[in-house]
Amino acid sequence: MITAGCERLGIEVPIIQAPMGGAVGPALAAAVSNAGGLGTLALWGADVPRLRQLVRETRALTTKPFAVNLNLEFPQEERLDACLEEGVPVISFFWRDPSDLVARAKSGGATVLHTVSTAAEARHAVGSGVDAVVAQGWEAGGHVRGKVATMPLIPAVVDAVGPVPVFAAGGIADGRGLAAALALGASGAWIGTRFLASNEVAIHPRYRERILQATEDDTVYLEELFDIGWPNAPHRVLRNSTVAAWEAAGRPATGKRPGEGDVVATSKSRGPIVRYRSYTPGTDAEGDIDALSLWAGQSAALVHKRQPAAEIVREIAGEAQAILFGLARQLRN
C-alpha cells in the first residue's frame, strides 16, 4: 500500500505516528517504523545531549526511517543541527513559518514535513521547499493550529499543492479514516490518539484509561487553558475537572482562573505539576491525573483496546485496503 507520500519518505505503509509530545519514546517510534510506517519523536523541548541520546536509542531499535518533530514556537536551530549531525532522516516542523530552517534541513540530508491548517499555509510551506505537508483538521488532539475540519481541509490543500504529497491529520484512528483520507487525495494519515492506547506509549495508565472510555463528544477545543509553558496555543483535550471548574467560573482569563497555582500532581522527571500546565501525564506522574491536560482528538471514541503499535499500524492499513478494494468491486458492479 505504497503512495507517493510513502515513496517520498521511504516508508511502506501510509501512516505517520503523530509526535504526541511527552508520550513518545524510542520504543514507540521504532515500533511504528519497523511496521512500515513513520515513527516520530517529539524532541523540541529536549536539551541537545538528551536529543542525541534518544535519536541514538531509536536508531538502535530500527533501521527504517523515523522523524523528529520540532515546534517552531520555540528556537530550534541547535536541535535541528544536532538532528542533522545524528543523521535523522525526516524532520517535521510545526506551528510557525518553517522558511528559515527548511533549506538548512534539506542541505543536511533530511526530508522535510510541515504541518499546516489552511491551503494558503500549505502553498507557503511548499514554496519554502518542504517535501510534504501535513494538513491538520481541528478534530485533532493536542495543540491545533487551525479551525478547519479535516474533511474540507484535505482536498483544499491537495488542490493547492499537488503533486506534493499531503498527509491528513485530525479525526483518523482506523482504516475507514485512512481510506477516506486517501479518497480525498491525501498520501496517507497522521495519527496520534490511536497510539495513546499502544503498549509502547509512555503515558500514565489513568490517561490511557480515559482515552479508552471516551466518546466522540468527550473532547473540547480550547483557545487557551492548559497554557503554562506554551501560551496562546489552542488545543483539544478530554473534558475533566479542571475544564469543568473553569467553565463553571465563566471561563475567566489566565491569572483569574480557579485553582491557579495549585500543585495537582508531581513527576519524578518534571517536578511539581501545577493546574493549567501544558503537560502530558507520564508514567512517573502521581496525584490528580484527571485534572491534567489529557490531550485527545475526537477520534478517541474509535479507540477500544490496548495493542502493540505494530499491530495498530497493520490493522489500520489492512482495514483501509479492504475498504478500498470493496469500493472498487461495488463500482465495477
Side-chain angles (χ1 to χ4, degrees), residues 77-193:
E77 289 81 0
E78 289 187 20
R79 295 185 186 91
L80 175 59
D81 287 346
C83 286
L84 298 176
E85 289 166 6
E86 294 294 333
V88 172
V90 181
I91 298 294
S92 161
F93 291 126
F94 184 45
W95 210 254
R96 299 295 180 188
D97 183 355
S99 299
D100 292 342
L101 295 180
V102 172
R104 191 166 170 176
K106 294 186 71 170
S107 65
T111 300
V112 180
L113 301 174
H114 182 58
T115 299
V116 304
S117 60
T118 65
E121 285 183 7
R123 281 191 290 267
H124 182 76
V126 169
S128 74
V130 304
D131 297 291
V133 297
V134 178
Q136 184 197 48
W138 90 301
E139 299 97 322
H143 291 88
V144 184
R145 184 74 174 148
K147 293 185 178 180
V148 181
T150 303
M151 184 68 76
L153 178 64
I154 301 311
V157 172
V158 168
D159 289 349
V161 302
V164 173
V166 175
F167 286 85
I172 301 170
D174 61 16
R176 292 170 296 182
L178 175 56
L182 294 172
L184 292 172
S187 267
W190 169 285
I191 296 173
T193 301

Side-chain angles (χ1 to χ4, degrees), residues 17-26 28-29 40-43 54 200-202:
Q17 164 248 309
M20 303 185 293
V24 183
L28 176 52
T40 307
L41 299 168
L43 300 181
L54 292 171
E200 297 87 350
V201 75

Side-chain angles (χ1 to χ4, degrees), residues 1 11-12 53 93 101 105 111 141 169 197 247 289 311 321 330:
M1 198 176 187
I11 61 178
E12 301 162 355
Q53 176 189 347
F93 291 126
L101 295 180
T111 300
E247 289 178 330
I289 304 302
E311 186 176 297
Q321 197 161 35
Q330 287 183 36

Side-chain angles (χ1 to χ4, degrees), residues 244-276:
W246 174 70
E247 289 178 330
R251 297 177 172 243
T254 300
K256 300 179 180 179
R257 301 174 297 193
E260 199 143 16
D262 292 351
V263 174
V264 293
T266 60
S267 162
K268 293 178 182 177
S269 59
R270 303 290 293 276
I273 311 299
V274 297
R275 195 180 301 276
Y276 306 112

Side-chain angles (χ1 to χ4, degrees), residues 3-29:
T3 65
C6 292
E7 292 177 345
R8 187 68 57 91
L9 296 174
I11 61 178
E12 301 162 355
V13 179
I15 293 173
I16 300 175
Q17 164 248 309
M20 303 185 293
V24 183
L28 176 52

